[in-house]
């Protein structure tokens, strides 16, 4: 994998670049739709490719490992062939899912033992078998196994958690070097920088991670309960410490405003379930602000959903029609809202990239954040 920085904003840490993989180029900054179990919920691949123009999507190791399972994925020739997606894929290691399942998991120096949320069966992830699992899944970009420390953890817990993550990273990197891709194309892995909201731990995590000379670096353990200001503070600390010639991926973040603020602090890659999850519940993100489509105020509003946007939904269906679909309980409502929100998120990062290249990102971002955070 190769990353080339192509532009930088003179008044912020924002940058534009191109990430090259064997499944295609990724233009950064980029938002990556989440396809947890092999699909982006409610969205056809045709729409992801043609209208939303997603350049990369995510899969999740925890969920794919449990279902459909490794035997099926290997027999299919990997996740790309199994889900008929020819562009790049990134897989989370499953560490966050295990973190969220705290009542039914146990962490040890060896790895993480957990019970399936599907049938209660017992499983263990180690750094070694996590590499093997992601080799079978076949993602272009693999995430190292880590513990996602809660955002409100005290320093003692965060210290212990980081020590575990560092130990797992060393074993993960060793296993990665000892193994080969299974399907004839290259794979890379990103270490995950943890450390909660403690500057000393975050610096230590970066110092340790960069020793592996990885193709990119992820920043984890943010947007997991800490104040938003702390998240931005940690980004301002961590991003300048990471190599300038490698992509930086902020995991699981977030709102469109979070993404713009992350770009301003030097982040290149983002993912979040928010556009599809909130869309299914009637929340739309637009350049005019945030809309609750269940609100009766839209019942006879026949204007476009987002006149200032470029989503294909905007120019086909009215606010009144989408409101009607939600009130009627039609599944088409969730599909259209999810498609719109993903198109909007991709529009946000594309416009950010254009303003970075034009050299006026910082000023544009201030106005954009004010507009997209309004409630209308």
């Amino acid at each position: 994998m190769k990353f080339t920085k192509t532009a930088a904003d003179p008044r912020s840490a924002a940058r534009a670049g191109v990430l090259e993989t064997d499944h295609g180029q990724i233009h950064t900054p980029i938002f990556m739709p989440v396809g947890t179990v092999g699909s982006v919920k409610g969205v056809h691949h045709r729409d992801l490719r043609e209208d939303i123009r997603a350049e990369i999507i995510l899969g999740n190791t925890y969920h794919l490992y449990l279902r459909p399972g490794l035997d099926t994925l290997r027999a299919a020739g990997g996740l790309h062939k199994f889900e008929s997606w020819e562009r790049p894929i990134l897989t989370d290691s499953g560490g966050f899912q295990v973190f969220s399942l705290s009542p039914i998991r146990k962490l040890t120096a060896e790895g993480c033992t957990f019970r399936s949320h599907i049938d209660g069966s017992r499983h263990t992830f180690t750094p070694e078998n996590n590499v093997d699992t992601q080799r079978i899944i076949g993602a272009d970009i693999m995430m190292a196994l880590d513990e996602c420390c809660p955002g409100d953890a005290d320093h003692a817990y965060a210290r212990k958690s980081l020590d575990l993550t560092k130990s797992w990273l060393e074993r993960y990197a060793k296993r990665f070097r000892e193994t080969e891709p299974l399907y004839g194309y290259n794979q890379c892995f990103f270490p995950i920088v943890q450390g909660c909201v403690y500057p000393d731990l975050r610096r230590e995590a970066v110092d340790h991670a960069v020793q592996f000379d990885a193709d990119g670096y992820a920043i984890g353990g943010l947007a997991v309960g800490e104040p938003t200001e702390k998240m931005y503070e940690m980004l301002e600390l961590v991003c300048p410490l990471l190599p300038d010639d490698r992509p930086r991926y902020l995991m699981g973040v977030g709102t469109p405003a979070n993404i713009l603020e992350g770009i301003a602090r030097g982040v290149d890659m983002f993912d979040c379930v928010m556009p599809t999850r909130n869309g299914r519940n009637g929340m739309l993100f637009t350049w005019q602000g945030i809309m609750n489509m269940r609100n009766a105020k839209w019942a006879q509003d026949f204007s476009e959903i987002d006149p200032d946007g470029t989503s294909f939904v905007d120019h086909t269906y009215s606010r009144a029609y989408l409101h009607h679909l939600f009130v009627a309980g039609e599944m088409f409502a969730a599909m259209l809202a999810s498609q719109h929100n993903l198109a909007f998120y991709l529009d946000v990062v594309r416009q950010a990239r254009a303003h970075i290249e034009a050299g006026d990102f910082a000023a544009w971002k201030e106005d954009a954040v004010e507009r997209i955070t309004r409630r209308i």
Side-chain angles (χ1 to χ4, degrees), residues 54-109:
E55 297 184 2
I56 177 174
I57 62 174
L58 269 68
N60 181 261
T61 296
Y62 166 86
H63 289 283
L64 292 167
Y65 162 81
L66 291 176
R67 188 168 54 195
L70 301 184
D71 290 344
T72 297
L73 288 166
R74 184 152 195 171
L79 184 59
H80 287 88
K81 289 186 176 179
F82 184 63
E83 66 173 331
S84 300
W85 177 258
E86 69 280 2
R87 296 179 184 177
I89 295 175
L90 180 150
T91 43
D92 183 359
S93 70
F96 178 78
Q97 283 66 36
V98 169
F99 154 75
S100 66
L101 295 169
S102 55
I104 53 175
R105 55 89 164 160
K106 181 180 179 181
L107 300 177
T108 67

Side-chain angles (χ1 to χ4, degrees), residues 124-187:
T124 298
F125 277 167
T126 67
E128 292 80 10
N129 70 26
N130 197 262
V131 171
D132 298 343
T133 296
Q134 292 189 75
R135 289 291 198 195
I136 292 170
I137 294 171
D140 301 87
I141 304 173
M142 302 160 47
M143 292 295 114
L145 183 66
D146 67 329
E147 184 197 0
C148 183
C149 181
D152 58 357
D154 61 27
H155 192 279
Y157 184 97
R159 162 83 275 162
K160 183 178 179 181
S161 175
L162 179 57
D163 287 343
L164 187 64
T165 290
K166 288 168 59 180
S167 172
W168 286 356
L169 175 56
E170 291 168 6
R171 292 164 52 196
Y172 190 99
K174 181 175 184 293
R175 183 69 167 191
F176 182 85
R177 291 191 296 266
E178 293 171 347
T179 57
E180 296 290 334
L182 300 176
Y183 308 117
Y185 55 85
N186 290 303
Q187 293 178 282

Side-chain angles (χ1 to χ4, degrees), residues 326-337:
F326 272 109
V327 172
E330 279 290 331
M331 67 173 67
F332 192 36
M335 295 168 60
L336 287 179

Side-chain angles (χ1 to χ4, degrees), residues 7-258:
D9 181 61
R11 293 181 53 203
S12 73
R15 73 241 194 104
V18 179
L19 185 59
E20 298 178 40
T21 77
D22 287 353
H23 280 101
Q25 290 187 339
I26 302 161
H27 296 85
T28 64
I30 190 68
F31 178 80
M32 304 178 285
V34 177
T36 303
V37 298
S39 72
V40 178
K41 286 187 185 297
V43 182
H44 196 289
H45 285 180
R46 178 194 60 241
D47 298 325
L48 282 171
R49 285 189 292 264
E50 298 175 7
D51 296 299
I52 296 167
R53 291 185 285 160
E55 297 184 2
I56 177 174
I57 62 174
L58 269 68
N60 181 261
T61 296
Y62 166 86
H63 289 283
L64 292 167
Y65 162 81
L66 291 176
R67 188 168 54 195
L70 301 184
D71 290 344
T72 297
L73 288 166
R74 184 152 195 171
L79 184 59
H80 287 88
K81 289 186 176 179
F82 184 63
E83 66 173 331
S84 300
W85 177 258
E86 69 280 2
R87 296 179 184 177
I89 295 175
L90 180 150
T91 43
D92 183 359
S93 70
F96 178 78
Q97 283 66 36
V98 169
F99 154 75
S100 66
L101 295 169
S102 55
I104 53 175
R105 55 89 164 160
K106 181 180 179 181
L107 300 177
T108 67
E110 178 60 21
C112 175
T113 299
F114 58 93
R115 292 194 177 276
S116 165
H117 71 285
I118 299 170
D119 60 9
S121 57
R122 185 182 177 92
H123 304 269
T124 298
F125 277 167
T126 67
E128 292 80 10
N129 70 26
N130 197 262
V131 171
D132 298 343
T133 296
Q134 292 189 75
R135 289 291 198 195
I136 292 170
I137 294 171
D140 301 87
I141 304 173
M142 302 160 47
M143 292 295 114
L145 183 66
D146 67 329
E147 184 197 0
C148 183
C149 181
D152 58 357
D154 61 27
H155 192 279
Y157 184 97
R159 162 83 275 162
K160 183 178 179 181
S161 175
L162 179 57
D163 287 343
L164 187 64
T165 290
K166 288 168 59 180
S167 172
W168 286 356
L169 175 56
E170 291 168 6
R171 292 164 52 196
Y172 190 99
K174 181 175 184 293
R175 183 69 167 191
F176 182 85
R177 291 191 296 266
E178 293 171 347
T179 57
E180 296 290 334
L182 300 176
Y183 308 117
Y185 55 85
N186 290 303
Q187 293 178 282
C188 69
F189 87 95
F190 287 11
I192 301 176
V193 174
Q194 290 288 352
C196 197
V197 295
Y198 302 105
D200 60 324
L201 298 183
R202 287 284 177 177
R203 290 191 187 94
E204 179 182 328
V206 173
D207 289 344
H208 182 258
V210 298
Q211 295 176 26
F212 297 92
D213 192 29
D215 288 305
Y217 297 87
I219 305 168
L222 294 175
V224 290
E226 82 287 353
T228 302
E229 294 74 19
K230 279 291 182 183
M231 175 174 70
Y232 295 153
E233 181 184 321
M234 292 301 102
L235 293 179
E236 290 167 4
L237 170 70
V238 167
C239 284
L241 300 176
L242 291 170
D244 187 60
D245 62 347
R246 310 292 165 88
R248 305 160 186 160
Y249 164 34
L250 177 57
M251 304 181 74
V253 178
T255 67
N258 291 156

Side-chain angles (χ1 to χ4, degrees), residues 255-258 260-261 284-291 305-310 314 319 344 347-352 355 360-376:
T255 67
N258 291 156
L260 289 179
E261 296 293 354
L284 262 63
F285 299 97
T286 77
W287 285 108
Q288 296 181 324
I290 300 169
M291 305 167 64
I305 291 171
D306 188 1
D308 300 326
T310 59
D314 298 346
R319 297 174 177 184
F344 176 75
D347 193 29
V348 166
V349 293
R350 279 192 290 267
Q351 290 207 31
H355 285 281
D360 64 352
F361 169 81
W364 171 82
K365 188 265 294 182
E366 294 302 317
D367 174 69
V369 168
E370 192 279 327
R371 283 190 289 141
I372 65 180
T373 53
R374 298 171 188 157
R375 295 275 177 168
I376 59 173

